[in-house]
Amino acid sequence: MRLGNWSLTKSAGALLSLSALAWGVVAGEAHAQKSSFPNVTLPAPTKATYTYPTLSKPKSKGQQFATSRIRTQDAETDNLIRVVPARTQFSVDGTGLTVAVLDTGLRTTHVDFAGKVVAQVNFTNDNGANPNDATDGDGHGTNVAGIIVGRGIHTGIAPGANVIPIKVLSNNGSGSSASIDSGLQWVITNRVAFNITAVNMSLGADSNLITDNFAGDPIIQKIQLLRAANVAVVVSAGNSFFDFGSQQGMSYPAIARETISVGALYDANIGPIFYGSGAIAISTGPGRFTPFSQRLHPSLAPITRTDIFTPGAELTAAGIANDTAESSFHGTSQAAPVACGLCLLAQEYYRRRTSTFPTPTQLENWLRTVTPRTVRFDGDDENDNVINTNLSYACADAVDMLTAAMTEIDNTTPPPPTPSVVLVAWNAGTKTITLTGDVNANSLSVSKSGSQLRIEGGAGTKIRYNNVTSTSATIPNVSGKITVSGDLSGGNDTISGVSLDIATMNLKLGVGNDRVVLNYCNVDLLKLDGGPGTDTFTGTTSKIVLNNSFNYP
């Protein structure tokens, strides 16, 4: 089996090549394997402003099978980090979210990805250089994506999530830094349209770094932009711990502080393993550190540390031989998608509870939560040919991660809402009531009883009429049809009208999920202008002559 290191350098005026982090076997023959955010366009780097690091392929191993043979390894990973109990206990599976996988592409027709591929992009010369064809001729990207979202023969960590394969590595496992840069830019541009909340990059340079001084690096700049938009960028730590003499460090771009960097553990006792790099596991067991996985302890580099360790050997997922094929790989390439899937589960849970997405810092904190299951010592039961660090590292557990998220949410007391004021103006000549202001995510009602018009604000909303601010206002001596005009901002407002005889009702609503409810009203012309969000209108025992409801910008 050809398991040597690939070292690709830059010729004059050319961009460097980059490869993924695993190898595999196909049909018994060995071969080399391998998220409101504006569209942002960064300038292409020039030699005068930035020089890329030398990019090459760290070492690992894997296999491709035409039929399913070793699915028990799915259960081994689930058992070690309690994925199935977490999905059940917290009712999460990644539904509604999308992960972008920058890799060798995807066998999109595999049964494990049925109905999941919402887009595909190709930045290589493979597949006729068709930008819309990310077909995987290598197998690495298909295995990685299957670990995250597979649902079919194999079950991924977040089987309810969708996937976008972004082919930045060719069918021989190599790629250019320009392709990676373009792939990240595509995510930035299309994040909102496809609800991309996570990016997986199981690739990197053959390097062993402890700092992230990459001023002017456009790839790192784009990762920074994605993190600022609460998109988790998950990157494999690298497979060259043995090669670098058991010295701590990580590869590029995992070393960047803005990534969620991931090292690899064994998920079960799979016997002795010999790696092409020279790393040897004389014996293996669940939760043991793999001898190939690079690692960086926070005591040495608190800012650029390895954020989390997850199972990365040996992981089974979809293969490329046919639409039911299977593959099995060792590598931090496989550990990263496990962590990426966990991030999707946490994002779904947090959004359901708070209607917002967590920051990558929150995700890192939850992944690194300290429990007896999540702290593992490198050097107690490892039996290999590397020099272990004899330090403890954070290792993922799905139940503990989501419990930490739940605890944070439950213990966070939202600040009291700032009272908002709705200004009320009444023109007796035109019989027009004008409402201006922010309803502050609460209710505002306009009702008529006899000849009195009454305006009331819900909790947190005050009414100001005739220079008096109170919870309500009353306008006397109102008869005949009135006109209601409103310019109301804020989110999640409920505006209600009761027993009104209206000539024209024209309301402009701001961002949020707004509701307009009319009870026992007669309206000649209803005009509602809703901002971004899900807006609804309900009329109960009301007569609407002309209805021009909810025009969106």
Side-chain angles (χ1 to χ4, degrees), residues 355-387:
S355 299
T356 61
F357 285 109
T359 67
T361 298
Q362 288 176 294
L363 293 173
E364 290 167 355
N365 290 340
W366 301 334
L367 283 167
R368 293 174 57 82
T369 188
V370 176
T371 73
R373 294 182 65 97
T374 61
V375 179
R376 297 185 184 273
F377 189 79
D378 172 28
D380 53 357
D381 57 356
E382 281 70 27
N383 186 13
D384 48 38
N385 68 338
V386 296
I387 302 171

Side-chain angles (χ1 to χ4, degrees), residues 43 70 115 291 335 455 547:
I70 44 178
I455 304 93
N547 182 5

Side-chain angles (χ1 to χ4, degrees), residues 76-327:
E76 290 167 353
T77 295
D78 286 343
N79 290 339
L80 179 63
I81 62 173
R82 298 193 293 174
V83 176
V84 173
R87 288 197 300 251
T88 301
Q89 180 178 339
F90 292 90
S91 299
V92 290
D93 65 0
T95 294
L97 308 180
T98 302
V99 58
V101 178
L102 276 65
D103 214 293
T104 62
L106 184 72
R107 185 175 180 99
T108 59
T109 56
H110 195 287
V111 295
D112 286 1
F113 306 113
K116 291 180 165 295
V117 183
V118 294
Q120 54 181 306
V121 194
N122 178 23
F123 290 105
T124 73
N125 291 323
D126 292 337
N127 309 324
N130 182 348
N132 300 311
D133 184 358
T135 299
D136 184 7
D138 176 276
H140 185 271
T142 297
N143 177 271
V144 166
I147 293 169
I148 305 173
V149 304
R151 173 173 273 170
I153 296 175
H154 311 88
T155 301
I157 304 297
N162 291 325
V163 62
I164 297 176
I166 301 179
K167 186 174 174 63
V168 296
L169 302 178
S170 65
N171 291 338
N172 66 8
S174 65
S176 70
S177 52
S179 295
I180 307 298
D181 187 58
S182 296
L184 290 171
Q185 180 61 57
W186 191 93
V187 175
I188 290 170
T189 303
N190 295 278
R191 180 188 71 85
V192 174
F194 293 102
N195 202 25
I196 300 170
T197 61
V199 175
N200 192 90
M201 298 173 66
S202 290
L203 45 79
D206 193 11
S207 51
N208 200 49
L209 309 172
I210 63 173
T211 60
D212 60 351
N213 300 320
F214 299 110
D217 183 334
I219 291 175
I220 302 302
Q221 288 174 337
K222 289 177 176 61
I223 292 173
Q224 292 168 345
L225 289 170
L226 288 167
R227 186 179 179 99
N230 290 338
V231 176
V233 181
V234 184
V235 184
S236 47
N239 296 344
S240 298
F241 187 59
F242 175 86
D243 303 65
F244 288 107
S246 303
Q247 296 298 307
Q248 292 191 55
M250 286 194 297
S251 66
Y252 164 98
I255 192 64
R257 68 191 70 188
E258 291 82 11
T259 69
I260 297 177
S261 53
V262 190
L265 306 170
Y266 288 109
D267 63 3
N269 179 357
I270 56 176
I273 300 292
F274 299 83
Y275 295 97
S277 65
I280 300 172
I282 301 167
S283 63
T284 56
R288 294 188 189 181
F289 291 81
T290 62
F292 58 79
S293 178
Q294 288 170 253
R295 62 208 72 175
L296 183 57
H297 196 267
S299 63
L300 179 61
I303 296 176
T304 57
R305 72 196 175 198
T306 304
D307 291 308
I308 196 68
F309 283 79
T310 70
E314 174 178 11
L315 268 67
T316 305
I320 62 169
N322 55 55
D323 289 345
T324 58
E326 182 171 87
S327 63

